[in-house]
Amino acid sequence: MLMLSFVVSMFAVPNVNAQTESNPKTTYPFVDSVPRKAGVGQSVLINFGLLNFLQNVNDGWNMTLTIIDPDGKIENVTRKTWATGTVGYSYIPTKEGNYTLQASMALTYYNSTSSSLRGWYAACVTENATLQVLGDGYFKPSHPGHSLPTEYWTRPVDSQLREWYTIMGSWFAQKQRNGNLFAPYNEAPTTAHILWSTPDMQYTGGLAGGDMGTGGFQHGDAYEGKFYGACIIAGVLYYNVAPVSSGAANMANQTLRALDLHTGEELWKLDLASLFGTNARLTRGQILMFMSANNRGAWAYLWVQNGATGSTWYAIDPLTGRHVYTMTNFYSPSAGGLSGGTKVYYGPNGEMLTYQIVNNATGSYLRQWNSTLVVQGTSGQDAWGSKVSQVGAPRVFVANSTANLGYSPSEDILLPRNFGVSGVNGVNSNPVGNPTQVFPLDRAIFTTTNVSGIYLSAVSLDSESYGSMLYTDRFWAAPSEWASLTGTVTGDSNGQSGWACFSDDPYVGVFWTKENRVNYVFSLETGKFLYQTEPQIFADGWGGVQSNSAPEKVIAYGRLIEGSGGGTVICYNATTGDFLWSYEAHDPYIGESYITENWYAVICFVSDGKVYFGHSHHSAQEPKPRGAPFYALDVETGEVVWRIDGAFRQHAWGGRAIIGDSIIATLDTYDSQIYGIGKGPSDVTVSISNPVASAGTTVLISGTVMDISPGLDKDVIQRRFAKGVPAVADESMSDWMLYVYKNFERPMDTKGVEITIFGVGENNESFDIGTVVSDANGRFSCTWTPKNSEAVDIYAVFHGSGAYYGSFAKSEMAVLEAPAPAPTPDPTPAYEWYIIGVGIAIIAVVIVCTLFNRKK
């Protein structure tokens, strides 16, 4: 058959008129490899197909790729091409030598609706292509990539710097992704170094003073939360300027503000009330990766709702604040939109997903609502931007059951009857409630809780087992004391018992009960009870479930970590319940933290192997307690990475600290300033006391190392630090930041940073001069005595720290030859030589006279 394929003509007889089986259209096959020269074991992409394109996106040619290895072994691979007529095949050669490549197609009829494309297409085979495979470890090199930044950086980042994605995370919603506080893709700060600060633009902040004495301006706790709904998209911080009240829906007209996360610069503001109504506010962000046959890339949006439960959603362009498009009746055409507490999840491509139970006469169905399908429809689109954008008013997409906009009926999952204690026991009786937790494309978890115990069920959302029950009505009998508990256990909506956190790595769910202060942990893989923790102290009873005011627990890196009202951070092995470590957020002073001697500890987020905590309280006393800590703990050991007291007090009813692009953004309730915390730029100078000196002459090398973060450009700081703000050591950073940004007393034990000084001579050989540490003013110096005459470049290098990126400076010096030494003077004085000469002359006369007398 292979030999017969060689004799098939590559070109059929051309005929522009009607094509028949005996008179087909001409075909133009091709085959090639990338690269054409590779090494044994190196992946090669073989492209093949026809240059004849097809009409519809799902059409394709059935092509056969023939690979003949150097020993003559034949391998045939059949693939359907894309509509462009091309297809690729990944191949790994295992032998050294030349491989022969061919592509062929049999006589084919294409039943296109286009008359110009419809008809028979000639059988064809390509000419031979050669893939040369070399041995001896030859590999055509891959692109070397790029290292992570070693200097201060801002957005946008060139898309060729692929490796940088690991430090460029975004923060999409109040609870981050899918209800957890885990924030990957960040190089989380290891010091309290502040990049910038700016007023929150909501209310006057800080100490009221004067007649108000020690009282401060209100900060929003309780019930009037500031900074709520803040998110970070592509290096920009977005937040609602006006407070969000739990007691009055129309508390204030809302303004949306955008700040550059790297610099603190305000980029734009948007009056949401005038555009979308008095109760409109930012609720979340989104980055959607759209992949189609021809259009690929990420699209970013901010989402505004008119009310927390509003079913109309407005998409805002994060770059400009432009209203792009609208979705109405989102999530449930029958239920009228998002109900209170309904979760919005994010799929693997950033699509927003919600899950709803639809109960009807035939049973209970689990339905997945996909925001992308609301725009695309079930048939999909080849381009995204042209679909959502239009000239004039923004396009409106109406979720509609009849048109199936937002979901695919074929993906509805019929749940079994008698599903748990709330299952369907007949037509439309005891309807199933919505899932408690969903892991998109994995599983949906259903729970029912009462004083007798907890029922757990799970349905698969995995493509290979979609719709199958993983476990059904798994029951755990609760201890008898549950009869006296409140909250979810007894149906008391004012209680604080309930599900606290969920994780899919490992599959664990944590149920918290308030009065007895116990965690009950369940496997979400099997639905079985795993363990319960020891009762915690009384003060821990004021939190623990998923709410704005509670110190949520978090599961990350295989650990269950929880804050507490008693101020003790506790870490368990999430799977076994083994105690791993604890940390006391101790208050060193009397009467500041007034519940216990520790500060009430709330989790902000987990990132880069560290868990970050702050302090807040439901209704803080006035004047506010001083010295509230913000701190980072090592997830593995519980050791303090850094802590600053009195800088970033958190909100209970508003938004807490979030992170993106490796920078923390937080609102401080002490002064109502928003702070950016992260690694900043530095600047080094160096000078030489005598840049033209002779060899053997000692010179003084001196310079400065300064913090040049963007927030230091403020006039008020420049007036205080006319010569600049010194860079200081990581261990001095917390006290130093309180001094620079909050006017605390200047610390007297501030340490500087290490500077390496070296020279480079005319032969480009470098030599060490010394390592010095700058002082609290940012100055450093050392002495050096050059030995050889030459032109020398003197470098001062700061290699960076946890707080700063490194920097360096250079100064030039000319070293001259040492002058010739002066003649060594005779140590005998001149007058002594005169006396000696006179003496010698007298002696000579005496001798002459003596000799004369003897002769005579």
Side-chain angles (χ1 to χ4, degrees):
M1 291 181 63
L2 178 64
M3 294 302 296
L4 287 174
S5 69
F6 286 129
V7 299
V8 176
S9 173
M10 190 172 175
F11 301 102
V13 177
N15 189 330
V16 297
N17 298 318
Q19 277 72 37
T20 64
E21 187 173 359
S22 60
N23 185 27
K25 293 177 180 288
T26 303
T27 50
Y28 301 91
F30 71 92
V31 66
D32 196 11
S33 66
V34 181
R36 293 177 178 172
K37 181 188 295 185
V40 173
Q42 183 171 20
S43 180
V44 175
L45 176 63
I46 301 176
N47 294 313
F48 61 103
L50 300 185
L51 296 180
N52 306 71
F53 68 90
L54 300 102
Q55 180 181 6
N56 300 312
V57 67
N58 293 322
D59 295 342
W61 306 113
N62 291 317
M63 301 289 300
T64 297
L65 170 65
T66 300
I67 304 173
I68 308 173
D69 74 9
D71 296 332
K73 182 180 178 181
I74 300 172
E75 178 182 355
N76 289 315
V77 178
T78 301
R79 290 289 186 272
K80 181 182 177 180
T81 71
W82 300 306
T84 56
T86 64
V87 68
Y89 177 68
S90 180
Y91 180 70
I92 299 178
T94 59
K95 302 175 183 178
E96 183 178 354
N98 291 335
Y99 288 70
T100 300
L101 309 177
Q102 281 187 335
S104 60
M105 186 183 76
L107 180 68
T108 300
Y109 183 79
Y110 178 39
N111 190 20
S112 173
T113 57
S114 170
S115 59
S116 61
L117 296 177
R118 185 172 57 250
W120 288 95
Y121 285 76
C124 58
V125 63
T126 63
E127 295 181 353
N128 293 348
T130 300
L131 167 62
Q132 184 181 7
V133 179
L134 303 177
D136 298 326
Y138 172 84
F139 267 63
K140 184 171 182 178
S142 301
H143 192 285
H146 296 273
S147 59
L148 293 178
T150 57
E151 299 176 346
Y152 179 68
W153 60 279
T154 59
R155 294 269 191 158
V157 172
D158 193 295
S159 59
Q160 297 177 90
L161 305 180
R162 297 179 184 177
E163 293 75 12
W164 287 31
Y165 84 93
T166 58
I167 60 171
M168 297 173 63
S170 291
W171 185 282
F172 294 123
Q174 186 75 2
K175 297 293 191 300
Q176 180 51 334
R177 292 174 182 263
N178 301 341
N180 209 336
L181 293 173
F182 182 47
Y185 311 117
N186 289 286
E187 192 175 50
T190 58
T191 75
H193 179 255
I194 296 172
L195 286 171
W196 52 266
S197 67
T198 185
D200 66 3
M201 304 302 291
Q202 297 174 6
Y203 292 121
T204 302
L207 186 70
D211 293 340
M212 300 301 103
T214 59
F217 289 102
Q218 70 83 33
H219 62 279
D221 286 336
Y223 305 115
E224 299 178 12
K226 299 181 178 184
F227 202 58
Y228 189 82
C231 62
I232 296 170
I233 304 293
V236 179
L237 169 66
Y238 305 91
Y239 72 97
N240 296 301
V241 171
V244 176
S245 172
S246 63
N250 298 319
M251 181 177 175
N253 292 340
Q254 194 59 264
T255 299
L256 175 59
R257 191 181 186 206
L259 301 178
D260 187 312
L261 186 61
H262 292 258
T263 66
E265 175 190 2
E266 181 177 284
L267 303 177
W268 52 262
K269 288 193 298 186
L270 188 65
D271 183 356
L272 299 182
S274 63
L275 290 173
F276 310 120
T278 56
N279 200 27
R281 60 177 181 253
L282 172 70
T283 58
R284 68 187 61 253
Q286 179 192 25
I287 298 180
L288 171 67
M289 179 59 71
F290 181 78
M291 304 293 284
S292 69
N294 293 301
N295 183 261
R296 308 175 184 94
W299 299 78
Y301 298 104
L302 302 172
W303 287 99
V304 171
Q305 287 175 262
N306 198 323
T309 61
S311 61
T312 299
W313 288 37
Y314 306 96
I316 306 298
D317 177 12
L319 181 64
T320 63
R322 177 178 60 92
H323 178 198
V324 181
Y325 71 99
T326 300
M327 289 190 297
T328 64
N329 210 22
F330 178 60
Y331 170 67
S332 170
S334 59
L338 282 169
S339 59
T342 301
K343 296 178 181 178
V344 177
Y345 301 90
Y346 292 88
N349 292 316
E351 62 272 35
M352 293 187 298
L353 306 172
T354 59
Y355 294 84
Q356 175 199 18
I357 290 293
V358 178
N359 296 289
N360 56 35
T362 59
S364 295
Y365 295 84
L366 176 62
R367 174 168 295 170
Q368 175 183 277
W369 209 266
N370 188 330
S371 65
T372 307
L373 293 182
V374 174
V375 174
Q376 286 187 287
T378 55
S379 61
Q381 298 291 329
D382 192 48
W384 181 263
S386 59
K387 181 69 175 178
V388 300
S389 300
Q390 67 177 8
V391 177
R395 192 184 298 270
V396 178
F397 298 91
V398 181
N400 185 287
S401 294
T402 303
N404 302 328
L405 294 180
Y407 75 100
S408 175
S410 63
E411 295 181 356
D412 284 356
I413 297 174
L414 176 63
L415 300 175
R417 292 181 181 273
N418 303 317
F419 185 73
V421 295
S422 295
V424 177
N425 299 316
V427 176
N428 280 336
S429 65
N430 287 331
V432 175
N434 287 334
T436 306
Q437 176 71 24
V438 175
F439 302 121
L441 302 186
D442 184 0
R443 64 191 61 198
I445 311 295
F446 294 83
T447 66
T448 302
T449 306
N450 54 42
V451 293
S452 64
I454 297 178
Y455 291 84
L456 289 97
S457 301
V459 60
S460 174
L461 303 178
D462 185 272
S463 59
E464 296 184 358
S465 57
Y466 189 80
S468 64
M469 297 303 300
L470 301 176
Y471 46 89
T472 306
D473 298 342
R474 188 80 70 187
F475 179 69
W476 170 76
S480 59
E481 69 175 325
W482 273 35
S484 302
L485 303 182
T486 59
T488 302
V489 174
T490 61
D492 177 9
S493 61
N494 293 319
Q496 294 174 338
S497 298
W499 289 102
C501 61
F502 299 92
S503 168
D504 60 351
D505 184 20
Y507 286 106
V508 167
V510 180
F511 192 92
W512 166 261
T513 48
K514 174 183 183 293
E515 287 88 353
N516 61 351
R517 292 95 57 205
V518 171
N519 295 301
Y520 299 91
V521 183
F522 297 82
S523 167
L524 301 181
E525 186 171 14
T526 65
K528 295 181 179 180
F529 174 75
L530 293 176
Y531 61 89
Q532 69 183 63
T533 59
E534 293 295 322
Q536 297 168 201
I537 68 170
F538 76 95
D540 293 350
W542 288 297
V545 297
Q546 288 186 333
S547 68
N548 297 332
S549 58
E552 297 102 328
K553 310 168 197 303
V554 66
I555 299 171
Y557 304 108
R559 285 158 165 70
L560 166 60
I561 305 170
E562 61 175 330
S564 67
T568 300
V569 179
I570 306 175
C571 177
Y572 304 95
N573 181 300
T575 305
T576 66
D578 293 337
F579 171 83
L580 299 178
W581 54 260
S582 65
Y583 172 76
E584 301 284 336
H586 186 63
D587 182 1
Y589 303 104
I590 296 176
E592 298 299 332
S593 178
Y594 61 92
I595 296 179
T596 69
E597 289 189 320
N598 295 334
W599 291 98
Y600 196 123
V602 295
I603 296 177
C604 296
F605 57 86
V606 179
S607 184
D608 192 24
K610 297 176 279 291
V611 55
Y612 291 77
F613 286 85
H615 165 77
S616 70
H617 200 271
H618 181 287
S619 302
Q621 74 266 39
E622 191 63 52
K624 299 174 183 65
R626 293 164 292 187
F630 188 92
Y631 48 99
L633 305 178
D634 186 287
V635 169
E636 292 289 330
T637 65
E639 295 179 354
V640 177
V641 179
W642 61 274
R643 172 171 165 166
I644 185 170
D645 292 346
F648 313 124
R649 187 179 180 277
Q650 299 296 294
H651 252 292
W653 290 88
R656 301 180 196 157
I658 61 178
I659 186 171
D661 272 16
S662 304
I663 298 171
I664 298 172
T666 188
L667 172 65
D668 173 35
T669 60
Y670 283 126
D671 60 9
S672 291
Q673 297 280 309
I674 297 173
Y675 289 90
I677 305 146
K679 186 177 288 190
S682 63
D683 181 62
V684 173
T685 66
V686 65
S687 62
I688 305 169
S689 60
N690 187 2
V692 180
S694 300
T697 302
T698 299
V699 297
L700 178 69
I701 300 172
S702 61
T704 61
V705 53
M706 310 302 284
D707 184 343
I708 56 169
S709 297
L712 302 178
D713 289 339
K714 290 183 176 181
D715 289 344
V716 64
I717 293 182
Q718 289 188 350
R719 289 190 179 97
R720 288 178 58 212
F721 298 91
K723 297 179 181 180
V725 175
V728 304
D730 288 354
E731 59 265 35
S732 299
M733 190 57 60
S734 293
D735 290 342
W736 186 251
M737 290 293 98
L738 290 171
Y739 166 61
V740 173
Y741 282 92
K742 288 178 167 282
N743 296 303
F744 280 37
E745 295 84 357
R746 180 172 182 139
M748 294 295 101
D749 57 351
T750 302
K751 297 179 181 179
V753 298
E754 192 173 271
I755 303 295
T756 299
I757 302 174
F758 67 92
V760 178
E762 291 179 346
N763 57 359
N764 286 327
E765 291 185 1
S766 63
F767 51 90
D768 292 332
I769 294 177
T771 299
V772 296
V773 176
S774 61
D775 61 20
N777 298 307
R779 298 198 61 82
F780 63 87
S781 64
C782 71
T783 59
W784 175 57
T785 304
K787 297 179 180 179
N788 304 314
S789 62
E790 59 179 336
V792 177
D793 292 331
I794 303 297
Y795 288 86
V797 179
F798 171 42
H799 292 286
S801 63
Y804 306 103
Y805 288 101
S807 56
F808 72 94
K810 185 188 80 165
S811 187
E812 298 80 18
M813 178 180 181
V815 182
L816 306 179
E817 288 190 11
T824 303
D826 193 311
T828 304
Y831 71 89
E832 292 183 3
W833 283 112
Y834 176 79
I835 295 173
I836 292 172
V838 171
I840 292 173
I842 294 171
I843 292 171
V845 171
V846 171
I847 292 173
V848 170
C849 292
T850 301
L851 293 175
F852 178 77
N853 290 331
R854 284 183 178 181
K855 184 177 181 182
K856 185 176 180 180

